[in-house]
Amino acid sequence: MAGCCSVLGAFLFEYDTPRIVLIRSRKVGLMNRAVQLFILAYVIGWVFVWEKGYQEVDSVVSSVTTKAKGVTVTNTSQLGFRIWDVADYVIPAQEESSLFIMTNIIVTMNQTQGFCPELPDKTSVCKSDSDCPAGSTNTHSSGVATGRCVPYNGTLKTCEVAAWCPVEDDSNVPKPAFLKAAENFTLQLGILWVSCGPRAVTLLKPQGWGLL
């Protein structure tokens, strides 16, 4: 019992300090500072600056949810007064990890399936039916050639095509963009990380946002 008390007393009432040895040597001192600088440079340069060890990296789980919000109004001679919302300018309504917003349109009113003159270009301008091979198409065709050369206007003839008539004329793109207000729409992104949980990001006007 006395032995246990003496051990306990020695533990409670004794204080130990490490012995410090001071070596006055330039060689040892420089070596010590060099090791310290190497460790400091490794921690700051490699761990923090290069590897960015203070950041946590995680992969995205599932797909990114995108959503656009905004309303705009147009008033033209062809369409009249019209309100455009998400159902009109987001095409298609849902995409995986992406979003497409329509910013410009070319309006061709009252199209029906039928026969009409093709838009004039170097392949469709003609002088006679022999210039229009029946059934021919190309990358710029609006439809399938019928084999007839018909008047396009008072001075020009083009090959007749079976297509949606009148054919769409994309030579005059509206400028400024028909839905120019799209640059002020709000874009919301929903992303799920394993370690951080779901996060929502709202972009009022993302960098690089442009109109076509």
Side-chain angles (χ1 to χ4, degrees):
M1 185 67 179
C4 293
C5 292
S6 62
V7 172
L8 181 61
F11 174 76
L12 293 176
F13 303 110
E14 289 182 357
Y15 176 71
D16 297 331
T17 60
R19 178 177 295 179
I20 299 176
V21 179
L22 179 61
I23 302 176
R24 298 184 181 277
S25 171
R26 292 184 179 180
K27 184 177 181 180
V28 176
L30 289 175
M31 185 180 299
N32 177 49
R33 298 307 178 193
V35 172
Q36 291 177 343
L37 288 175
F38 175 78
I39 296 175
L40 185 63
Y42 171 78
V43 172
I44 296 177
W46 177 259
V47 176
F48 287 97
V49 177
W50 184 260
E51 290 292 329
K52 294 181 173 59
Y54 57 90
Q55 295 180 348
E56 183 177 359
V57 179
D58 193 8
S59 59
V60 177
V61 176
S62 186
S63 60
V64 179
T65 303
T66 57
K67 182 180 180 181
K69 297 181 66 177
V71 178
T72 185
V73 174
T74 59
N75 191 0
T76 63
S77 58
Q78 288 182 305
L79 296 178
F81 181 83
R82 179 167 179 175
I83 298 175
W84 301 78
D85 59 10
V86 178
D88 298 309
Y89 57 72
V90 177
I91 303 172
Q94 289 185 339
E95 287 188 88
E96 183 178 355
S97 303
S98 60
L99 181 70
F100 177 83
I101 297 180
M102 178 178 64
T103 58
N104 212 350
I105 62 174
I106 298 174
V107 180
T108 305
M109 301 294 294
N110 303 320
Q111 279 188 312
T112 58
Q113 291 189 10
F115 303 97
C116 51
E118 178 64 282
L119 292 176
D121 60 22
K122 61 181 181 180
T123 60
S124 63
V125 174
C126 60
K127 294 182 179 179
S128 63
D129 293 347
S130 60
D131 298 327
C132 304
S136 62
T137 60
N138 58 59
T139 55
H140 301 288
S141 297
S142 301
V144 180
T146 62
R148 298 178 56 201
C149 183
V150 296
Y152 179 79
N153 53 33
T155 60
L156 191 64
K157 287 186 176 182
T158 61
C159 295
E160 184 184 60
V161 291
W164 285 96
C165 300
V167 295
E168 181 181 86
D169 185 3
D170 57 0
S171 59
N172 296 317
V173 179
K175 291 185 179 181
F178 192 76
L179 297 178
K180 188 176 184 299
E183 63 183 358
N184 297 319
F185 292 165
T186 300
L187 182 60
Q188 295 180 336
L189 304 179
I191 308 174
L192 177 63
W193 283 280
V194 175
S195 57
C196 301
R199 292 291 185 272
V201 180
T202 300
L203 305 178
L204 297 181
K205 189 174 181 181
Q207 292 183 355
W209 185 282
L211 300 179
L212 300 178

